[in-house]
Amino acid sequence: MENSPFRQIVSSLDGLREILPPPSGISVDKVLTYIDVHVRRFIEFSPYVIVATADRYGVCDSSPRGGEPGFVRVVDDRHLFLAEATGNRRADTLGNILESPQIGMLFLIPGYEETLRLNGRAVITQDPDLLAQAESINGRPPLLGIGIEVNECFLHCAKAAMRSSIWNPMGWPNLQAFPSAAEIFRDHMGGAIGDASVMNIQALLEESYTKRL
Amino acid sequence: MLEMPLYVKVDAVSEEANNIRAYRLLALDEGPLPEFTAGAHIGIVMPNKITRYYSICSSPRDRRHYIIGVQREDQGRGGSKLVHDSVRAGTMLKLQAPRNFFALAPSGSHVLIAGGIGITPILSMAAELEARGQDFQVIYRTRGREFTPFARVIDTLVACGRAQLFDQQDGPDFGKLLEVPSKDRHVYCCGSPGFMEHVRDACSHWDAGQVHFESFSPVVAQAGDTAFTIKAQQRGTTFKVAADQSILAAIRENGIGIDSVCENGTCGTCKVRYCSGEPEHRDSVLNPAEQREYLMACVSRAKSDLLVLDI
């Protein structure tokens, strides 16, 4: 990194382990290589997952997916299926999977402080049976899906959720002090959208959020 | 999470008295809330990770809502101020589901004694006893009308001869009121630490199983508290408990894990067996027989210089 503001870079595993001792037995032993009853239930309860992928150069991306609880389907004790909405058609995730099959998923259940981490290998599939069973998106069956083969999965502890109060409404910020998405888009895109007024962008977003959800 | 939280939304807030507000809480789906028994409390999980406990004052037979009363304590630990300042109709709260360390006896007659904001559990108990058709009497002492929450409910209880209201100055005479214990009679008391101490003195000759106290006040060091030494029998270690430190805090400081909930000697969670030494019991949960074997680590101290605990 040129002109990096960072000093005292730790650049070897030995160096890291001097500062951070190896993990405890629990942190290692909790890892499963298959989907057990608890992992299955977690996925069935989860309406929201953050999907991490990388391209052939290791350039990373993470992107959220959401649906009814259980929208990610447990196919069997080694496989999941995630139907793809067309989204913004950037296809960052799908493009990455074509270049590198590794995928990391972080499943959330609102109000539940532990999260489920699941890592594996992904393919893009048009399997007609799986697509037919998937939740329709915007009134139409999905065109594509991601098939995931599980390598490891485990429950991640609640500390981050507890520290952040993310599931405690009393700890939520006052959003009146935060700009709306329309204001942020206006500033990020200059004049490139509609007549570039916040009201116009708000109307476009509302249309997208209601008619093409 | 160790215990599943209960999410609710605040449906209505009312000014009940000087510095006291009532909050009506509904399930997010507006369906029935989890069951509770009269005298139970919920915990509001605050953003700073501490939990503050408030008695439910509505009837346990009505699970459409929980009503709690919160008195703003400007000198307090901040929980009640945060509730008053930030909780409005529509606010969602993360709760610890109801628990009860102040339950009614299943039968007999009941004397319910409250001081100030301590009326909150007493109201759910009165509603339950009314529904059961058991004999009860509410004795309520406040600092006058503008400091009396839930005045309409209390007026109704007074009107049907179920409650007596006292101003701080005019009694009642607890010594006289509680002079004669009776086999099937139970006394329940909730109020400030000083008020409860006063009532406790007045029924010191009662069977411990017939008197019940509920306290939400933090434990405060008392004048004359001194340091002493703890020996952890199972581990063979010895450590000091400072004059202003609890046994519980000292145990934890020395890396011994021990569960606690109320931390004011009410719930019984941090019960520890002692092997030798003479404890000074300050709890309101153990009976005398239990006190010969156990102590509550959150509030108890030692009369002897050394206390040997079975930990």
Side-chain angles (χ1 to χ4, degrees):
Chain A
M1 276 188 251
E2 266 175 62
N3 298 321
S4 168
F6 306 118
R7 303 275 173 272
Q8 302 223 9
I9 306 297
V10 177
S11 53
S12 72
L13 186 60
D14 288 345
L16 178 65
R17 283 302 172 210
E18 260 175 47
I19 304 159
L20 209 65
S24 70
I26 290 182
S27 314
V28 178
D29 297 344
K30 70 180 179 181
V31 178
L32 296 183
T33 55
Y34 61 95
I35 297 167
D36 81 335
V37 59
H38 295 296
V39 173
R40 173 186 284 269
R41 289 278 284 160
F42 201 110
I43 295 168
E44 286 170 356
F45 262 73
S46 173
Y48 195 90
V49 59
I50 295 159
V51 177
T53 52
D55 68 12
R56 79 188 80 176
Y57 305 107
V59 176
C60 297
D61 180 67
S62 60
S63 137
R65 295 287 187 276
E68 294 288 319
F71 77 108
V72 177
R73 209 172 137 232
V74 179
V75 177
D76 60 36
D77 69 359
R78 290 295 307 273
H79 299 93
L80 302 179
F81 176 72
L82 164 58
E84 270 291 275
T86 49
N88 55 18
R89 296 194 293 272
R90 286 175 57 105
D92 291 322
T93 299
L94 298 176
N96 282 345
I97 291 170
L98 292 176
E99 296 188 16
S100 167
Q102 306 300 333
I103 190 168
M105 305 174 88
L106 178 71
F107 288 89
L108 307 183
I109 297 174
Y112 194 86
E113 292 179 323
E114 283 79 7
T115 53
L116 176 72
R117 284 170 57 184
L118 185 147
N119 301 318
R121 293 169 67 84
V123 290
I124 301 171
T125 167
Q126 282 193 291
D127 186 306
D129 294 339
L130 290 170
L131 289 171
Q133 289 166 29
E135 209 178 301
S136 65
I137 295 163
N138 212 1
R140 288 191 300 268
L143 303 171
L144 289 169
I146 302 174
I148 299 117
E149 184 186 273
V150 177
N151 289 340
E152 57 175 11
C153 51
F154 54 92
L155 202 63
H156 188 100
C157 82
K159 287 177 191 168
M162 293 165 82
R163 289 184 190 124
S164 63
S165 280
I166 192 167
W167 301 127
N168 185 353
M170 247 184 133
W172 291 355
N174 175 11
L175 294 180
Q176 304 308 311
F178 197 77
S180 70
E183 286 172 76
I184 296 175
F185 281 132
R186 177 200 59 195
D187 294 345
H188 284 184
M189 290 183 293
I193 181 168
D195 67 2
S197 72
V198 168
M199 251 166 64
N200 185 271
I201 298 170
Q202 184 72 37
L204 290 172
L205 282 178
E206 269 168 28
E207 193 198 351
S208 168
Y209 287 172
T210 50
K211 295 192 183 143
R212 293 191 298 281
L213 189 62
Chain B
M1 58 189 73
L2 302 174
E3 204 180 330
M4 286 300 155
L6 170 65
Y7 288 94
V8 294
K9 59 185 172 192
V10 177
D11 159 58
V13 181
S14 59
E15 294 286 339
E16 284 297 330
N18 206 346
N19 273 339
I20 299 176
R21 285 184 189 153
Y23 297 84
R24 188 166 68 187
L25 315 177
L26 302 187
L28 293 188
D29 64 2
E30 302 191 6
L33 286 158
E35 282 184 43
F36 69 100
T37 50
H41 60 267
I42 49 97
I44 298 183
V45 183
M46 304 280 172
N48 51 5
K49 291 154 213 79
I50 51 175
T51 302
R52 289 285 168 259
Y53 299 96
Y54 299 99
S55 294
I56 303 174
C57 39
S58 48
S59 166
R61 299 189 182 221
D62 184 353
R63 285 164 54 201
R64 286 173 305 176
H65 53 240
Y66 299 152
I67 297 174
I68 57 168
V70 179
Q71 174 166 277
R72 187 187 174 101
E73 311 273 7
D74 283 312
Q75 308 306 318
R77 294 169 289 178
S80 65
K81 259 190 294 189
L82 193 59
V83 171
H84 272 236
D85 289 343
S86 68
V87 178
R88 307 267 174 272
T91 305
M92 282 193 281
L93 296 175
K94 181 181 186 179
L95 300 188
Q96 189 181 81
R99 279 197 283 217
N100 198 348
F101 309 136
F102 192 45
L104 284 166
S107 60
S109 72
H110 311 262
V111 184
L112 310 175
I113 302 171
I117 188 64
I119 191 67
T120 51
I122 300 296
L123 291 178
S124 81
M125 296 161 107
E128 172 63 16
L129 292 170
E130 187 74 54
R132 284 187 198 172
Q134 289 176 5
D135 183 49
F136 72 96
Q137 190 66 38
V138 176
I139 314 281
Y140 186 26
R141 195 172 83 174
T142 66
R143 290 190 286 149
R145 192 76 189 176
E146 76 265 39
F147 296 101
T148 307
F150 307 104
R152 277 203 320 272
V153 187
I154 290 155
D155 287 345
T156 312
L157 287 166
V158 171
C160 54
R162 286 296 194 187
Q164 289 169 271
L165 200 50
F166 294 90
D167 203 276
Q168 208 166 15
Q169 278 75 40
D170 64 0
D173 183 345
F174 286 113
K176 199 167 163 208
L177 194 82
L178 301 168
E179 193 176 355
V180 189
S182 134
K183 198 165 81 67
D184 295 320
R185 207 153 173 241
H186 286 264
V187 176
Y188 308 83
C189 177
C190 184
S192 66
F195 178 77
M196 289 202 294
E197 211 41 56
H198 184 57
V199 174
R200 203 187 296 273
D201 287 345
C203 52
S204 57
H205 57 299
W206 285 58
D207 183 309
Q210 286 174 257
V211 292
H212 314 267
F213 291 88
E214 174 85 323
S215 162
F216 290 106
S217 311
V219 184
V220 277
Q222 293 177 13
D225 282 352
T226 52
F228 54 94
T229 303
I230 292 276
K231 184 174 178 198
Q233 178 90 328
Q234 294 171 26
R235 293 167 174 79
T237 55
T238 299
F239 45 86
K240 272 260 184 282
V241 180
D244 60 350
Q245 186 183 31
S246 69
I247 295 178
L248 181 68
I251 290 176
R252 284 180 174 162
E253 202 176 276
N254 284 274
I256 303 173
I258 178 166
D259 276 346
S260 69
V261 176
C262 74
E263 300 194 4
N264 61 21
T266 318
C267 75
T269 308
C270 64
K271 186 166 87 169
V272 173
R273 187 196 304 272
Y274 61 94
C275 315
S276 67
E278 194 185 351
E280 183 186 335
H281 296 286
R282 290 184 185 172
D283 67 276
S284 41
V285 57
L286 300 175
N287 65 37
E290 291 171 318
Q291 286 187 343
R292 283 194 285 278
E293 200 177 341
Y294 298 98
L295 58 83
M296 299 313 309
C298 59
V299 288
S300 301
R301 303 201 66 80
K303 288 179 188 162
S304 51
D305 292 337
L306 177 71
L307 210 50
V308 182
L309 302 181
D310 185 18
I311 51 175

